[in-house]
């Protein structure tokens, strides 16, 4: 058991992700069940620095489980990267008598938490909330499933028009430096090819695959492009492909921030509820400076330095399967 934790603060930080509200709801309700007081910090680390905290009761998190975005707002804080910023944040937490913090966010959020907890004696627990699914220590991050569903829905619509006009579409999806969103979107939308940061597919290989398709009388095609792939953005890739093979009329769609919004899927709501619940129960059980995650269906706590430093590998079997199914 840890020291008696009676007052906790919770915040969302970094890029928002569908399901953050569901996680927040679970944190507040679990903490209330254990007679803890919960404070919500507005705008992530920015609000922590500014002392922008407000009491959250059970009723304050009603009617939010289905809402995208985050009712606490979020930010990417430059000030928290400075020792002065972190000192102000610590003073704010002291002023509100906060015993522990729960951070809902991604890599940058947990990097901040790791530095802060090395400097100050306030324990943190992290909840993985990012559409990118790029955190080691959890099979899925909150928001990933919703984001993939949004991208697949968009790709389905693009497929209709691509088919009608015999066009080649390059559809760019987010994911920062990882290809989880792109690979899963490609599989789920039946795309012809996918370009992800984890593989070295060159423009030449892509053109060869498109030529092969054209020889089989494939009159349209979808290529899913991860924003972090090595060949450039979708517009640059489309131009290079067009130069090498102008058989198709070529178009580009960048799905962009559409993937970050919207009502969370059932999977994301359940995941967020489980991780919110386990963050509070973990704290009570003595977990500190770790991220709660779901590994093979079970809750697992992973130290921050491991969660942010270790690369989460894409499943090579999935990559191979995507290639075979697209042929
Ligand atoms: O980390 C989530 C994410 O949506 C990435 O996929 C993307 O690269 C980035 O955030 C975009 O950030 P911003 O909304 O700050 O432009």
């Amino acid at each position: 058991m840890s020291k008696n934790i009676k007052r906790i603060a919770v915040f969302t930080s970094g890029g928002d992700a569908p399901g953050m509200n569901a996680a927040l709801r679970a944190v507040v309700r679990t903490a209330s069940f254990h007679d803890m007081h919960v404070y919500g910090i507005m705008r992530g680390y920015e609000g922590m620095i500014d002392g922008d905290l407000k009491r959250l009761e059970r009723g304050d998190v009603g009617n939010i489980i289905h809402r995208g975005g985050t009712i606490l707002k979020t930010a990417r804080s430059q000030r928290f990267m400075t020792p002065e910023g972190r000192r102000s944040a610590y003073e704010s937490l002291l002023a509100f008598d906060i015993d522990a913090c729960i951070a809902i966010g991604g890599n940058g959020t947990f990097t901040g938490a790791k530095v802060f907890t090395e400097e100050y004696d306030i324990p943190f627990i992290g909840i993985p909330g990012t559409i990118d699914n790029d955190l080691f220590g959890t099979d899925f991050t909150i928001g990933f499933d919703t984001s993939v569903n949004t991208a697949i829905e968009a790709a389905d619509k693009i497929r209709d028009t691509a088919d009608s006009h015999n066009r080649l579409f390059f559809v760019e999806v987010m994911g920062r430096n990882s290809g989880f969103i792109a690979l899963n979107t490609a599989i789920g939308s039946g795309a012809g090819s996918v370009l992800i940061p984890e593989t070295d597919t060159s423009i030449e290989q892509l053109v060869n695959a498109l030529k092969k398709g054209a020889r089989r009388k494939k009159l349209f095609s979808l290529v899913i492009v991860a924003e972090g792939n090595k060949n450039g953005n979708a517009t640059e890739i489309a131009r290079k492909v067009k130069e090498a093979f102008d058989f198709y009329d070529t178009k580009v769609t960048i799905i962009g921030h559409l993937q970050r919004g919207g009502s969370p899927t059932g999977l994301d709501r359940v995941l967020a509820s489980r991780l919110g619940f386990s963050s509070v129960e973990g704290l009570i059980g003595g977990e500190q400076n770790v991220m709660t995650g779901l590994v093979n269906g079970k809750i697992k706590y992973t130290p921050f330095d491991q969660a942010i430093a270790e690369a989460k590998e894409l499943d090579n079997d999935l990559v191979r399967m995507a290639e075979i199914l697209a042929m």
Side-chain angles (χ1 to χ4, degrees):
M1 270 307 256
S2 65
K3 74 175 184 185
N4 203 8
I5 292 174
K6 280 284 158 211
R7 289 158 77 93
I8 62 171
V10 57
F11 62 97
T12 49
S13 164
D16 63 335
M20 279 183 160
N21 282 326
L24 174 65
R25 170 182 178 271
V27 167
V28 172
R29 299 241 162 130
T30 310
S32 300
F33 174 80
H34 289 290
D35 294 325
M36 293 170 164
H37 284 189
V38 184
Y39 286 81
I41 305 175
M42 300 304 295
R43 298 172 291 114
Y45 289 121
E46 286 289 291
M48 193 185 285
I49 292 169
D50 296 337
D52 193 0
L53 281 75
K54 63 175 188 193
R55 182 74 205 279
L56 290 177
E57 315 254 12
R58 294 184 65 84
D60 295 322
V61 291
N63 202 24
I64 65 168
I65 194 167
H66 61 299
R67 284 172 59 188
T70 157
I71 63 163
L72 292 180
K73 316 266 186 193
T74 186
R76 301 190 196 278
S77 176
Q78 297 296 321
R79 287 190 293 161
F80 197 75
M81 292 180 191
T82 66
E84 299 75 36
R86 293 192 294 277
R87 158 61 53 182
S88 302
Y90 176 64
E91 282 164 6
S92 303
L93 297 176
L94 281 190
F96 280 84
D97 269 335
I98 299 299
D99 299 314
C101 286
I102 295 183
I104 309 173
N107 216 290
T109 305
F110 301 152
T111 304
K114 175 179 141 46
V115 174
F116 183 85
T117 51
E118 282 165 0
E119 292 171 343
Y120 300 106
D121 186 23
I122 295 185
F124 271 53
I125 294 248
I127 298 178
T130 162
I131 61 167
D132 300 338
N133 198 32
D134 58 351
L135 285 164
F136 181 85
T138 189
D139 292 342
F140 300 104
T141 56
I142 297 166
F144 169 66
D145 185 60
T146 308
S147 170
V148 169
N149 276 284
T150 300
I152 288 175
E153 199 184 325
D156 285 350
K157 290 181 175 157
I158 291 166
R159 170 185 281 278
D160 289 343
T161 178
D163 179 20
S164 304
H165 285 267
N166 291 345
R167 281 174 170 164
L168 166 62
F169 266 85
F170 291 87
V171 180
E172 184 177 304
V173 298
M174 282 186 170
R176 207 176 285 271
N177 299 318
S178 76
F180 285 95
I181 295 179
L183 180 62
N184 284 274
T185 301
I187 293 170
S189 65
S193 301
V194 60
L195 296 176
I196 50 178
E198 293 84 350
T199 60
D200 286 324
T201 309
S202 64
I203 297 291
E204 198 187 346
Q205 286 168 314
L206 177 61
V207 167
N208 286 340
L210 291 168
K211 283 184 178 165
K212 230 189 218 171
R215 280 199 295 276
R216 290 198 330 267
K217 306 270 179 293
K218 196 169 175 187
L219 295 176
F220 77 97
S221 197
L222 295 186
V223 178
I224 307 295
V225 178
E227 63 175 346
N229 90 92
K230 292 168 186 146
N231 295 295
N233 63 35
T235 309
E236 289 160 353
I237 294 168
R239 186 181 45 76
K240 288 181 202 161
V241 169
K242 186 82 182 159
E243 275 168 17
F245 181 53
D246 65 359
F247 175 79
Y248 292 109
D249 182 13
T250 303
K251 298 283 173 186
V252 173
T253 300
I254 298 168
I255 302 182
H257 288 80
L258 275 176
Q259 289 152 102
R260 285 246 296 266
S263 183
T265 58
L267 268 184
D268 269 330
R269 295 180 199 195
V270 174
L271 176 69
S273 301
R274 290 187 72 180
L275 297 184
F277 179 79
S278 62
S279 66
V280 176
E281 298 232 318
L283 261 182
I284 294 169
E287 297 290 348
Q288 300 203 355
N289 309 333
V290 293
M291 181 192 85
T292 175
L294 204 63
V295 177
N296 296 328
K298 296 269 178 263
I299 295 295
K300 193 168 172 244
Y301 299 95
T302 302
F304 282 141
D305 35 11
Q306 217 182 335
I308 56 187
E310 291 206 25
K312 179 157 155 190
E313 304 285 333
L314 260 191
D315 183 346
N316 282 330
D317 291 343
L318 270 193
V319 177
R320 183 171 160 266
M321 184 194 82
E323 282 166 5
I324 292 172
L325 297 188
M327 279 173 192

